[in-house]
Amino acid sequence: DLSAATNVNLAAGSGAINTNGNNGVVKLNGGAVNGGQVVNITAGTGDVYLGAMGQGTALTSLTVTSAGSTYLSGAITTTGLINLGLDGPNVLLNDVNLATTNSAVSLAAVTGNAHALSIAAGTGTVTLAGITNVGSLGVGGGQIDFNGAVTAISGITATGTNNAAMTVAGGSTLTSTGGSITLASQNSLTVNAAIDNNAGPVTLTANTDALAEDQDLNIGAAVKGTSVTFAVGGGASSNI
C-alpha cells in the first residue's frame, strides 16, 4: 500500500505510482498534491483515494488504472488530460471539480452519493460513462459524449465549445428529479436516449454559435420536463 498523510509536492519527472504487483491501496487524500508532473497510478485491484490535486501547481496530467474503486474527495486541476477509473468505478466522497486546460476528460462509472460533480475541460473532449445519484452535474468542454445513463438530484448542464458536437448515446438516459436539464452545443446535438426531468424544464440547443452550417438538433428519443424547449442558434442550414 501507499499512503500520504500530508501535502505532497511532486519533483521533476513522471509521477508514476504502481502497486499493481500486490494490488495495493493508494491514498493521496491526506493533504494537497501539487506539481507540474505526469501522474500515472496503477493499482491492480487496489482502491485509490484522491483528495485535492493541482490546486497550488496544476498537475500535467492524471491517469488512474485500477479494477478497484477510485474515491474522489477534492478538486483536481491539470494542464493535460484526466482519465479516471479506466478499469473500475469512481465514487464521490465530496463535491468534486475536475478542470483541465483544453484537454480531454474521461470518466468510467461514477457513484455520486448526492455530491455535485463539475467538469471544466475548455475545448477538450469529455467522455462520460454512467453517473448515478449525483447532486448535480455540470460539464463544459469541446465535444461532449454521454455514453451511459445519468441520474441527478438537482440538474444536469452541459455546454459545448470549440464548434464540437454533443451526443447522448442510445441507452444513456438523462434523468433529474429537480433543477433543470440544459444541453447546449456549438455544433450538432444528437439525443438518442430519453431525457426526463419531472420537476423542472428541459432545454436542448444546437449551433449556439449561430454559424451558417448544417448543425442540427437531432431528437431520437422521448424528452420530458415541466417545459421543453428545442432550439437552434441560427444558420440557414440548421434544423430540428
Side-chain angles (χ1 to χ4, degrees), residues 22-91:
N22 60 2
N23 299 313
V25 174
V26 175
K27 293 185 176 181
L28 294 175
N29 60 341
V33 177
N34 288 294
Q37 309 303 327
V38 174
V39 178
N40 294 315
I41 300 172
T42 305
T45 60
D47 292 337
V48 177
Y49 293 79
L50 302 178
M53 306 183 78
Q55 301 310 291
T57 301
L59 308 183
T60 298
S61 65
L62 173 65
T63 299
V64 176
T65 305
S66 173
S69 296
T70 299
Y71 294 92
L72 306 174
S73 58
I76 297 174
T77 299
T78 68
T79 57
L81 62 83
I82 297 176
N83 288 332
L84 295 179
L86 295 182
D87 296 326
N90 300 288
V91 181

Side-chain angles (χ1 to χ4, degrees), residues 30 32 37 48 116 120 144 151 154 162 169 172 174 185 195 201 234 239:
Q37 309 303 327
V48 177
I144 299 174
T151 59
S154 58
N162 202 35
S172 304
L174 307 185
S185 172
I195 294 178
N239 300 294

Side-chain angles (χ1 to χ4, degrees), residues 201-218:
V202 175
T203 303
L204 308 178
T205 307
N207 194 26
T208 58
D209 58 6
L211 296 179
E213 300 174 352
D214 185 11
Q215 299 171 343
D216 297 340
L217 175 59
N218 305 300

